[in-house]
Amino acid sequence: MTVDLVVRNCTVVTPAGRSPDSGVAVEDGRIVAVGRSDRLPDADRVLDGDGNVLVPGIVDCHIHNREPGLEYKEDWESATRAAAAGGVTTVVGMPNTDPVIDRPEHLELKFDRGEASAHVDFQSYAVVTSENLDLIPELDATGALGFKIFLGSTVGDVPPPSDGKILEAMEEIRETGKRLGFHEENGEIIDHYTERFKAEGRNEPIDHSHSRPVIAEQEAVERMITFAEETGTKIHMFHVSSGSAAEAVARGKDRGVDVTAETTPHYLWFTEDVMREKGNVARVQPPIRDAAERDELWRVGIDNGAIDCIATDHAPHTAEEKKVDDPFGNTWDAISGFVGLETEVPAMLSFVDQGRFTLEEWVRRHSARPAQVWGMYPQKGSLQVGTDADFTIVDPDREWTLEDRRDLHSKNCVTPFEGESFTGKAVATVVRGEPVFEDGAVVGESGYGTRVDVD
């Protein structure tokens, strides 16, 4: 038997454990064998893993690819090129584009654009507003991976529904069997402090952080968990930034609510001191928290398990929008968000190197669990025979520094991780049996990526 592709000479790692001197065999884009290198079949193409670590393809369930409508910031092609270079095999796009993804024809447009230009596989959420509750069944039928509600002010100014309409939306979404995620910040609290700080002339980058206090996040998490407890809807908390919010998630899980949560590398890596060191480059919503909240996020979210997934909230903006030339200028003139697709795997591997995670724990949160949460498992996020041959090969010992953000592959590459040093890096990315990144270059063709089908 000769197959299309065999990868040999790796340590294969899944959430269940690790197997040295092993590899994967692929035929017609599917995994046909996982095992010891010397027991794998012959192949038309053989990749030598060079003793590195092979894991199920990384799944990033939270990126802003900006298409349609905001392609000057990013598009499907550039975002998925960055994903391929970062070791990410599946991405899920957010709906705050132009037009917003609030009706079936807009979702179809987003899918069509992805099919035309993506390097890796993809999906998209649909947004829920006060104006489209009647379209939830159609958005489900059109293939949305799940749904999202923006509770507080954010980039794109998508207004939140009233609490009554959120309850109605939850009842509709419950009937689809899909999950509803939230940008979980209390908008009234944020608006109050933003107006007050502006009136007081508090214009420094740290003032933006403090205008969005932890209580705004914690209250929104607790309120949505209460609603989900009433309606029986599956819910998800995007970009949990604080230990206090993670504790609220943990309490919801303890009560039996089907609530899942993610955090990002930047909330685990930095403290709010980064706002004083790098200014508006690090401006993000929710903001990066103080050391006590960061440490509690590690303890409750990671060590105790309240956080299910790792994602990035990859959010490109131009250098002008981020005020890179004047990073400590008036924060209210700057915009929130930054890129993350090419630093998420190195950041997480650095935490592995520091002993904060095992490789198995990292793979569970960065591959298997996001695929499970969003209904893509085992087709994505596993190395099971018969599933998509998506895998990421990493060198866990490679030490390097992101010296220049312009080495990244997004259209706009502003990031507070510029200048940071890492231990670990993706060295090859394979999507459905085709290498899309190897030898330091994106090698896959634009348009190879395809939409992930979900029930």
Side-chain angles (χ1 to χ4, degrees):
M1 175 184 177
T2 300
V3 298
D4 294 334
L5 173 70
V6 162
V7 182
R8 305 183 190 273
N9 190 24
C10 297
T11 295
V12 174
V13 177
T14 70
R18 61 186 74 184
S19 302
D21 192 18
S22 295
V24 179
V26 178
E27 178 72 11
D28 293 331
R30 300 293 183 96
I31 295 171
V32 294
V34 180
R36 289 182 56 86
S37 294
D38 59 4
R39 297 180 182 176
L40 294 173
D42 294 333
D44 294 332
R45 182 177 184 189
V46 176
L47 293 181
D48 185 350
D50 198 27
N52 288 316
V53 171
L54 183 150
V55 303
I58 299 303
V59 177
D60 191 332
C61 55
H62 188 159
I63 77 158
H64 295 267
N65 67 291
R66 303 303 190 199
E67 190 172 12
L70 302 170
E71 290 87 351
Y72 75 96
K73 297 176 187 277
E74 188 83 296
D75 56 32
W76 273 125
E77 192 282 326
S78 57
T80 56
R81 181 175 3 120
V88 179
T89 59
T90 302
V91 296
V92 186
M94 284 292 163
N96 52 333
T97 50
D98 185 11
V100 294
I101 310 305
D102 61 350
R103 54 196 61 248
E105 57 267 32
H106 296 167
L107 181 59
E108 289 173 347
L109 174 62
K110 193 172 183 78
F111 285 152
D112 288 346
R113 296 282 185 88
E115 293 285 355
S117 62
H119 291 270
V120 306
D121 289 352
F122 62 89
Q123 248 290 348
S124 177
Y125 303 110
V127 74
V128 177
T129 70
S130 293
E131 310 301 323
N132 74 336
L133 271 62
D134 60 321
L135 296 177
I136 287 171
E138 291 181 60
L139 288 162
D140 170 44
T142 305
L145 185 68
F147 297 88
K148 181 172 185 179
I149 289 177
F150 294 87
L151 293 178
S153 59
T154 190
V155 175
D157 294 324
V158 181
S162 67
D163 281 356
K165 288 195 172 182
I166 291 174
L167 282 167
E168 285 188 29
M170 283 187 167
E171 291 167 352
E172 288 281 353
I173 292 168
R174 179 193 61 216
E175 297 307 306
T176 72
K178 292 182 178 175
R179 193 172 292 271
L180 169 62
F182 296 93
H183 178 118
E184 63 278 5
E185 289 183 288
N186 181 304
E188 291 186 8
I189 293 174
I190 292 167
D191 291 346
H192 168 78
Y193 283 107
T194 299
E195 292 170 10
R196 173 181 154 187
F197 286 8
K198 286 181 177 179
E200 294 173 351
R202 295 175 59 177
N203 300 323
E204 295 182 3
I206 194 66
D207 294 319
H208 172 265
S209 299
H210 293 169
S211 74
R212 307 178 84 98
V214 167
I215 186 61
E217 181 180 37
Q218 180 183 345
E219 187 278 338
V221 171
E222 292 176 335
R223 179 160 42 100
M224 292 305 106
I225 287 173
T226 300
F227 287 7
E229 192 170 32
E230 171 69 18
T231 61
T233 310
K234 298 186 294 187
I235 62 169
H236 181 78
M237 300 301 162
F238 290 112
H239 49 45
V240 171
S241 68
S242 64
S244 296
E247 288 173 347
V249 171
R251 289 191 292 271
K253 290 177 183 282
D254 288 344
R255 294 193 336 238
V257 178
D258 189 344
V259 54
T260 56
E262 73 188 34
T263 192
T264 72
H266 52 269
Y267 296 130
L268 297 172
W269 188 280
F270 297 109
T271 70
E272 68 173 22
D273 288 343
V274 73
M275 302 305 297
R276 301 179 179 94
E277 296 161 0
K278 301 188 180 187
N280 289 315
V281 166
R283 189 186 196 266
V284 66
Q285 297 169 179
I288 295 167
R289 304 299 185 180
D290 65 25
E293 287 288 347
R294 192 271 308 269
D295 293 348
E296 192 70 356
L297 178 61
W298 269 103
R299 187 185 71 82
V300 176
I302 303 302
D303 299 339
N304 293 352
I307 298 296
D308 296 84
C309 311
I310 301 297
T312 57
D313 193 11
H314 174 88
H317 300 288
T318 67
E320 292 74 20
E321 289 172 320
K322 290 294 293 178
K323 304 300 178 185
V324 169
D325 290 340
D326 185 22
F328 297 99
N330 190 326
T331 193
W332 311 114
D333 294 333
I335 200 165
S336 290
F338 43 77
V339 298
L341 279 163
E342 294 178 71
T343 51
E344 60 181 310
V345 168
M348 301 316 293
L349 287 171
S350 296
F351 292 137
V352 171
D353 181 67
Q354 295 163 16
R356 302 303 301 264
F357 286 104
T358 65
L359 284 168
E360 291 86 349
E361 290 167 340
W362 164 57
V363 171
R364 181 172 65 83
R365 281 195 169 96
H366 215 168
S367 181
R369 194 68 184 118
Q372 291 166 345
V373 164
W374 292 106
M376 297 183 285
Y377 188 88
Q379 211 61 32
K380 302 298 183 183
S382 85
L383 294 178
Q384 295 182 24
V385 171
T387 63
D388 287 350
D390 295 352
F391 41 87
T392 304
I393 302 175
V394 301
D395 179 348
D397 301 317
R398 182 175 299 186
E399 296 181 357
W400 66 286
T401 300
L402 179 57
E403 301 282 2
D404 189 337
R405 69 177 187 273
R406 290 168 294 187
D407 292 335
L408 302 176
H409 291 77
S410 286
K411 279 188 178 181
N412 294 284
C413 300
V414 178
T415 171
F417 282 101
E418 186 173 23
E420 299 296 309
S421 295
F422 306 93
T423 301
K425 193 171 190 178
V427 296
T429 309
V430 176
V431 177
R432 286 177 286 109
E434 289 292 328
V436 296
F437 176 76
E438 60 181 330
D439 298 326
V442 176
V443 295
E445 291 187 4
S446 171
Y448 173 72
T450 192
R451 186 185 87 187
V452 180
D453 288 328
V454 291
D455 293 333

Short mmCIF file of all heavy atoms in Angstrom, two decimals, residues 196-240:
data_model
loop_
_atom_site.label_atom_id
_atom_site.label_comp_id
_atom_site.label_asym_id
_atom_site.label_seq_id
_atom_site.Cartn_x
_atom_site.Cartn_y
_atom_site.Cartn_z
N ARG A 196 -16.74 59.80 31.99
CA ARG A 196 -16.15 60.46 33.15
C ARG A 196 -14.67 60.73 32.94
O ARG A 196 -14.17 61.84 33.20
CB ARG A 196 -16.37 59.59 34.39
CG ARG A 196 -15.66 60.10 35.63
CD ARG A 196 -15.89 59.18 36.80
NE ARG A 196 -14.80 59.27 37.77
CZ ARG A 196 -14.66 58.49 38.83
NH1 ARG A 196 -15.57 57.56 39.08
NH2 ARG A 196 -13.64 58.62 39.65
N PHE A 197 -13.94 59.71 32.46
CA PHE A 197 -12.49 59.88 32.28
C PHE A 197 -12.19 60.94 31.23
O PHE A 197 -11.26 61.73 31.39
CB PHE A 197 -11.85 58.55 31.88
CG PHE A 197 -11.74 57.54 33.01
CD1 PHE A 197 -12.34 57.76 34.25
CD2 PHE A 197 -11.03 56.36 32.83
CE1 PHE A 197 -12.24 56.85 35.28
CE2 PHE A 197 -10.91 55.43 33.86
CZ PHE A 197 -11.52 55.67 35.08
N LYS A 198 -12.96 60.96 30.16
CA LYS A 198 -12.73 61.99 29.14
C LYS A 198 -12.97 63.38 29.72
O LYS A 198 -12.20 64.31 29.45
CB LYS A 198 -13.66 61.74 27.95
CG LYS A 198 -13.26 60.56 27.07
CD LYS A 198 -14.23 60.40 25.90
CE LYS A 198 -13.81 59.27 24.98
NZ LYS A 198 -14.75 59.09 23.84
N ALA A 199 -14.03 63.51 30.51
CA ALA A 199 -14.33 64.81 31.11
C ALA A 199 -13.24 65.25 32.07
O ALA A 199 -12.98 66.46 32.22
CB ALA A 199 -15.68 64.75 31.83
N GLU A 200 -12.59 64.30 32.72
CA GLU A 200 -11.52 64.60 33.68
C GLU A 200 -10.15 64.76 33.02
O GLU A 200 -9.16 65.02 33.69
CB GLU A 200 -11.45 63.50 34.74
CG GLU A 200 -12.69 63.43 35.63
CD GLU A 200 -12.68 62.22 36.57
OE1 GLU A 200 -11.80 61.35 36.40
OE2 GLU A 200 -13.55 62.17 37.47
N GLY A 201 -10.10 64.59 31.69
CA GLY A 201 -8.84 64.71 30.98
C GLY A 201 -7.90 63.53 31.19
O GLY A 201 -6.69 63.66 31.03
N ARG A 202 -8.46 62.39 31.53
CA ARG A 202 -7.65 61.19 31.74
C ARG A 202 -7.52 60.49 30.39
O ARG A 202 -8.39 59.73 29.97
CB ARG A 202 -8.29 60.28 32.79
CG ARG A 202 -8.33 60.94 34.17
CD ARG A 202 -9.07 60.10 35.18
NE ARG A 202 -8.49 58.76 35.36
CZ ARG A 202 -8.93 57.87 36.24
NH1 ARG A 202 -9.96 58.16 37.03
NH2 ARG A 202 -8.35 56.68 36.34
N ASN A 203 -6.41 60.74 29.71
CA ASN A 203 -6.26 60.35 28.31
C ASN A 203 -5.12 59.38 28.05
O ASN A 203 -4.77 59.11 26.90
CB ASN A 203 -6.02 61.61 27.45
CG ASN A 203 -7.16 62.60 27.56
OD1 ASN A 203 -8.32 62.19 27.63
ND2 ASN A 203 -6.83 63.88 27.57
N GLU A 204 -4.50 58.84 29.12
CA GLU A 204 -3.36 57.94 28.92
C GLU A 204 -3.83 56.53 28.58
O GLU A 204 -4.98 56.15 28.90
CB GLU A 204 -2.49 57.93 30.17
CG GLU A 204 -1.85 59.27 30.47
CD GLU A 204 -0.95 59.22 31.70
OE1 GLU A 204 -0.78 58.12 32.29
OE2 GLU A 204 -0.42 60.29 32.07
N PRO A 205 -2.99 55.72 27.94
CA PRO A 205 -3.41 54.36 27.58
C PRO A 205 -3.96 53.56 28.76
O PRO A 205 -4.94 52.82 28.59
CB PRO A 205 -2.12 53.75 27.01
CG PRO A 205 -1.40 54.92 26.42
CD PRO A 205 -1.66 56.05 27.35
N ILE A 206 -3.37 53.70 29.94
CA ILE A 206 -3.86 52.95 31.10
C ILE A 206 -5.27 53.39 31.48
O ILE A 206 -6.04 52.60 32.07
CB ILE A 206 -2.89 53.09 32.30
CG1 ILE A 206 -3.20 52.03 33.37
CG2 ILE A 206 -2.95 54.50 32.86
CD1 ILE A 206 -2.96 50.62 32.94
N ASP A 207 -5.66 54.62 31.12
CA ASP A 207 -7.00 55.09 31.44
C ASP A 207 -8.05 54.34 30.62
O ASP A 207 -9.16 54.09 31.12
CB ASP A 207 -7.11 56.59 31.21
CG ASP A 207 -6.23 57.38 32.17
OD1 ASP A 207 -6.16 57.01 33.35
OD2 ASP A 207 -5.58 58.36 31.72
N HIS A 208 -7.72 53.99 29.40
CA HIS A 208 -8.65 53.15 28.64
C HIS A 208 -8.87 51.83 29.36
O HIS A 208 -10.01 51.36 29.48
CB HIS A 208 -8.14 52.89 27.22
CG HIS A 208 -8.95 51.88 26.48
ND1 HIS A 208 -8.62 50.54 26.43
CD2 HIS A 208 -10.12 52.01 25.78
CE1 HIS A 208 -9.53 49.89 25.73
NE2 HIS A 208 -10.44 50.75 25.33
N SER A 209 -7.81 51.22 29.85
CA SER A 209 -7.94 49.95 30.58
C SER A 209 -8.85 50.11 31.78
O SER A 209 -9.74 49.29 32.03
CB SER A 209 -6.56 49.45 31.01
OG SER A 209 -5.73 49.21 29.91
N HIS A 210 -8.64 51.17 32.54
CA HIS A 210 -9.40 51.36 33.78
C HIS A 210 -10.84 51.80 33.52
O HIS A 210 -11.69 51.69 34.42
CB HIS A 210 -8.68 52.36 34.68
CG HIS A 210 -7.38 51.84 35.20
ND1 HIS A 210 -6.45 52.62 35.84
CD2 HIS A 210 -6.83 50.59 35.16
CE1 HIS A 210 -5.40 51.89 36.18
NE2 HIS A 210 -5.61 50.66 35.77
N SER A 211 -11.13 52.28 32.32
CA SER A 211 -12.51 52.64 31.98
C SER A 211 -13.37 51.40 31.72
O SER A 211 -14.60 51.50 31.60
CB SER A 211 -12.53 53.54 30.74
OG SER A 211 -12.25 52.80 29.56
N ARG A 212 -12.72 50.24 31.62
CA ARG A 212 -13.43 48.98 31.39
C ARG A 212 -13.08 48.04 32.54
O ARG A 212 -12.35 47.07 32.37
CB ARG A 212 -13.03 48.39 30.04
CG ARG A 212 -13.20 49.37 28.88
CD ARG A 212 -12.76 48.79 27.56
NE ARG A 212 -13.80 47.98 26.94
CZ ARG A 212 -14.62 48.41 25.98
NH1 ARG A 212 -14.54 49.67 25.55
NH2 ARG A 212 -15.53 47.60 25.47
N PRO A 213 -13.58 48.32 33.75
CA PRO A 213 -13.14 47.60 34.95
C PRO A 213 -13.58 46.14 34.94
O PRO A 213 -14.51 45.74 34.22
CB PRO A 213 -13.79 48.37 36.09
CG PRO A 213 -15.00 49.00 35.47
CD PRO A 213 -14.60 49.34 34.07
N VAL A 214 -12.94 45.37 35.80
CA VAL A 214 -13.23 43.94 35.89
C VAL A 214 -14.70 43.69 36.17
O VAL A 214 -15.30 42.74 35.64
CB VAL A 214 -12.34 43.29 36.97
CG1 VAL A 214 -12.83 41.89 37.31
CG2 VAL A 214 -10.88 43.26 36.51
N ILE A 215 -15.33 44.54 36.98
CA ILE A 215 -16.74 44.32 37.34
C ILE A 215 -17.62 44.35 36.10
O ILE A 215 -18.65 43.65 36.05
CB ILE A 215 -17.21 45.37 38.39
CG1 ILE A 215 -18.64 45.04 38.87
CG2 ILE A 215 -17.12 46.77 37.83
CD1 ILE A 215 -18.78 43.70 39.55
N ALA A 216 -17.25 45.11 35.08
CA ALA A 216 -18.04 45.14 33.85
C ALA A 216 -18.02 43.79 33.16
O ALA A 216 -19.03 43.33 32.60
CB ALA A 216 -17.52 46.23 32.91
N GLU A 217 -16.88 43.13 33.18
CA GLU A 217 -16.77 41.79 32.60
C GLU A 217 -17.46 40.74 33.47
O GLU A 217 -18.25 39.92 32.99
CB GLU A 217 -15.29 41.44 32.41
CG GLU A 217 -15.06 40.07 31.78
CD GLU A 217 -13.59 39.75 31.61
OE1 GLU A 217 -12.77 40.12 32.48
OE2 GLU A 217 -13.25 39.11 30.60
N GLN A 218 -17.18 40.79 34.76
CA GLN A 218 -17.73 39.78 35.67
C GLN A 218 -19.27 39.83 35.68
O GLN A 218 -19.93 38.78 35.63
CB GLN A 218 -17.20 40.02 37.08
CG GLN A 218 -17.71 39.03 38.11
CD GLN A 218 -17.21 39.35 39.51
OE1 GLN A 218 -16.27 40.11 39.69
NE2 GLN A 218 -17.85 38.76 40.51
N GLU A 219 -19.84 41.04 35.74
CA GLU A 219 -21.30 41.15 35.78
C GLU A 219 -21.92 40.59 34.50
O GLU A 219 -22.95 39.89 34.56
CB GLU A 219 -21.70 42.62 35.95
CG GLU A 219 -23.20 42.83 36.18
CD GLU A 219 -24.03 42.84 34.90
OE1 GLU A 219 -23.47 43.10 33.80
OE2 GLU A 219 -25.24 42.57 34.99
N ALA A 220 -21.31 40.87 33.35
CA ALA A 220 -21.87 40.39 32.09
C ALA A 220 -21.81 38.86 32.03
O ALA A 220 -22.76 38.21 31.56
CB ALA A 220 -21.11 41.00 30.92
N VAL A 221 -20.71 38.28 32.49
CA VAL A 221 -20.61 36.82 32.52
C VAL A 221 -21.71 36.24 33.40
O VAL A 221 -22.43 35.30 33.01
CB VAL A 221 -19.22 36.38 33.04
CG1 VAL A 221 -19.19 34.87 33.29
CG2 VAL A 221 -18.13 36.78 32.06
N GLU A 222 -21.86 36.79 34.60
CA GLU A 222 -22.85 36.23 35.54
C GLU A 222 -24.28 36.39 35.02
O GLU A 222 -25.12 35.49 35.17
CB GLU A 222 -22.68 36.89 36.90
CG GLU A 222 -21.36 36.49 37.58
CD GLU A 222 -21.12 37.19 38.90
OE1 GLU A 222 -21.67 38.29 39.09
OE2 GLU A 222 -20.37 36.65 39.72
N ARG A 223 -24.56 37.52 34.39
CA ARG A 223 -25.92 37.75 33.87
C ARG A 223 -26.25 36.77 32.74
O ARG A 223 -27.34 36.19 32.70
CB ARG A 223 -26.04 39.20 33.39
CG ARG A 223 -27.39 39.57 32.81
CD ARG A 223 -27.60 41.08 32.83
NE ARG A 223 -26.40 41.82 32.44
CZ ARG A 223 -26.19 42.35 31.22
NH1 ARG A 223 -27.11 42.23 30.27
NH2 ARG A 223 -25.09 43.01 30.95
N MET A 224 -25.30 36.55 31.83
CA MET A 224 -25.56 35.64 30.73
C MET A 224 -25.65 34.19 31.21
O MET A 224 -26.43 33.39 30.67
CB MET A 224 -24.49 35.80 29.65
CG MET A 224 -24.54 37.14 28.93
SD MET A 224 -26.17 37.52 28.20
CE MET A 224 -26.78 38.77 29.36
N ILE A 225 -24.89 33.84 32.23
CA ILE A 225 -25.01 32.49 32.79
C ILE A 225 -26.40 32.31 33.42
O ILE A 225 -27.04 31.26 33.28
CB ILE A 225 -23.89 32.24 33.82
CG1 ILE A 225 -22.55 32.04 33.08
CG2 ILE A 225 -24.20 31.01 34.68
CD1 ILE A 225 -21.35 31.95 33.99
N THR A 226 -26.89 33.34 34.10
CA THR A 226 -28.23 33.27 34.68
C THR A 226 -29.28 33.09 33.59
O THR A 226 -30.22 32.28 33.71
CB THR A 226 -28.53 34.53 35.51
OG1 THR A 226 -27.56 34.63 36.57
CG2 THR A 226 -29.92 34.49 36.10
N PHE A 227 -29.14 33.83 32.49
CA PHE A 227 -30.08 33.70 31.37
C PHE A 227 -30.02 32.29 30.78
O PHE A 227 -31.05 31.69 30.44
CB PHE A 227 -29.76 34.73 30.28
CG PHE A 227 -30.14 36.14 30.62
CD1 PHE A 227 -30.59 36.50 31.88
CD2 PHE A 227 -30.03 37.14 29.66
CE1 PHE A 227 -30.92 37.82 32.19
CE2 PHE A 227 -30.38 38.45 29.94
CZ PHE A 227 -30.82 38.79 31.21
N ALA A 228 -28.79 31.76 30.63
CA ALA A 228 -28.64 30.42 30.06
C ALA A 228 -29.21 29.36 30.98
O ALA A 228 -29.76 28.35 30.52
CB ALA A 228 -27.17 30.15 29.77
N GLU A 229 -29.09 29.59 32.28
CA GLU A 229 -29.67 28.65 33.25
C GLU A 229 -31.19 28.61 33.10
O GLU A 229 -31.81 27.54 33.23
CB GLU A 229 -29.28 29.08 34.66
CG GLU A 229 -29.56 28.07 35.73
CD GLU A 229 -28.93 28.47 37.05
OE1 GLU A 229 -28.81 29.69 37.32
OE2 GLU A 229 -28.53 27.58 37.82
N GLU A 230 -31.76 29.74 32.77
CA GLU A 230 -33.21 29.82 32.59
C GLU A 230 -33.65 29.18 31.28
O GLU A 230 -34.69 28.49 31.21
CB GLU A 230 -33.66 31.29 32.62
CG GLU A 230 -35.10 31.54 32.24
CD GLU A 230 -36.08 31.00 33.29
OE1 GLU A 230 -35.68 30.74 34.44
OE2 GLU A 230 -37.27 30.83 32.92
N THR A 231 -32.88 29.39 30.21
CA THR A 231 -33.33 28.97 28.87
C THR A 231 -32.79 27.63 28.44
O THR A 231 -33.31 27.03 27.49
CB THR A 231 -32.90 30.02 27.83
OG1 THR A 231 -31.46 30.12 27.82
CG2 THR A 231 -33.52 31.39 28.13
N GLY A 232 -31.70 27.15 29.06
CA GLY A 232 -31.09 25.90 28.64
C GLY A 232 -30.24 26.03 27.39
O GLY A 232 -29.92 25.02 26.74
N THR A 233 -29.81 27.24 27.05
CA THR A 233 -28.99 27.48 25.87
C THR A 233 -27.52 27.24 26.18
O THR A 233 -27.04 27.58 27.26
CB THR A 233 -29.17 28.94 25.40
OG1 THR A 233 -30.57 29.23 25.32
CG2 THR A 233 -28.50 29.18 24.06
N LYS A 234 -26.80 26.66 25.23
CA LYS A 234 -25.36 26.51 25.35
C LYS A 234 -24.71 27.87 25.08
O LYS A 234 -24.99 28.50 24.06
CB LYS A 234 -24.83 25.48 24.36
CG LYS A 234 -25.36 24.08 24.55
CD LYS A 234 -24.70 23.08 23.63
CE LYS A 234 -25.01 23.34 22.17
NZ LYS A 234 -24.49 22.26 21.29
N ILE A 235 -23.82 28.31 25.98
CA ILE A 235 -23.20 29.63 25.82
C ILE A 235 -21.68 29.54 25.94
O ILE A 235 -21.14 28.56 26.46
CB ILE A 235 -23.75 30.66 26.82
CG1 ILE A 235 -23.46 30.25 28.27
CG2 ILE A 235 -25.24 30.87 26.58
CD1 ILE A 235 -23.77 31.36 29.27
N HIS A 236 -21.04 30.60 25.45
CA HIS A 236 -19.57 30.67 25.45
C HIS A 236 -19.14 32.09 25.77
O HIS A 236 -19.74 33.05 25.28
CB HIS A 236 -19.03 30.27 24.07
CG HIS A 236 -17.54 30.28 23.95
ND1 HIS A 236 -16.75 29.27 24.44
CD2 HIS A 236 -16.68 31.18 23.40
CE1 HIS A 236 -15.47 29.53 24.19
NE2 HIS A 236 -15.41 30.69 23.56
N MET A 237 -18.10 32.22 26.57
CA MET A 237 -17.53 33.53 26.89
C MET A 237 -16.23 33.71 26.10
O MET A 237 -15.26 33.00 26.33
CB MET A 237 -17.26 33.64 28.39
CG MET A 237 -18.51 33.48 29.25
SD MET A 237 -19.76 34.72 28.86
CE MET A 237 -21.22 33.96 29.59
N PHE A 238 -16.27 34.65 25.16
CA PHE A 238 -15.06 34.96 24.40
C PHE A 238 -14.08 35.76 25.26
O PHE A 238 -14.46 36.43 26.21
CB PHE A 238 -15.41 35.77 23.14
CG PHE A 238 -16.16 34.99 22.09
CD1 PHE A 238 -17.48 35.29 21.79
CD2 PHE A 238 -15.55 33.96 21.41
CE1 PHE A 238 -18.18 34.58 20.82
CE2 PHE A 238 -16.23 33.24 20.43
CZ PHE A 238 -17.54 33.55 20.13
N HIS A 239 -12.81 35.67 24.93
CA HIS A 239 -11.71 36.47 25.47
C HIS A 239 -11.85 36.84 26.95
O HIS A 239 -11.85 38.02 27.33
CB HIS A 239 -11.48 37.73 24.63
CG HIS A 239 -12.69 38.56 24.30
ND1 HIS A 239 -13.65 38.89 25.22
CD2 HIS A 239 -13.06 39.15 23.14
CE1 HIS A 239 -14.57 39.64 24.65
NE2 HIS A 239 -14.23 39.81 23.38
N VAL A 240 -11.96 35.85 27.82
CA VAL A 240 -12.00 36.11 29.26
C VAL A 240 -10.64 36.67 29.67
O VAL A 240 -9.60 36.06 29.45
CB VAL A 240 -12.33 34.82 30.04
CG1 VAL A 240 -12.15 35.04 31.54
CG2 VAL A 240 -13.75 34.37 29.72
#
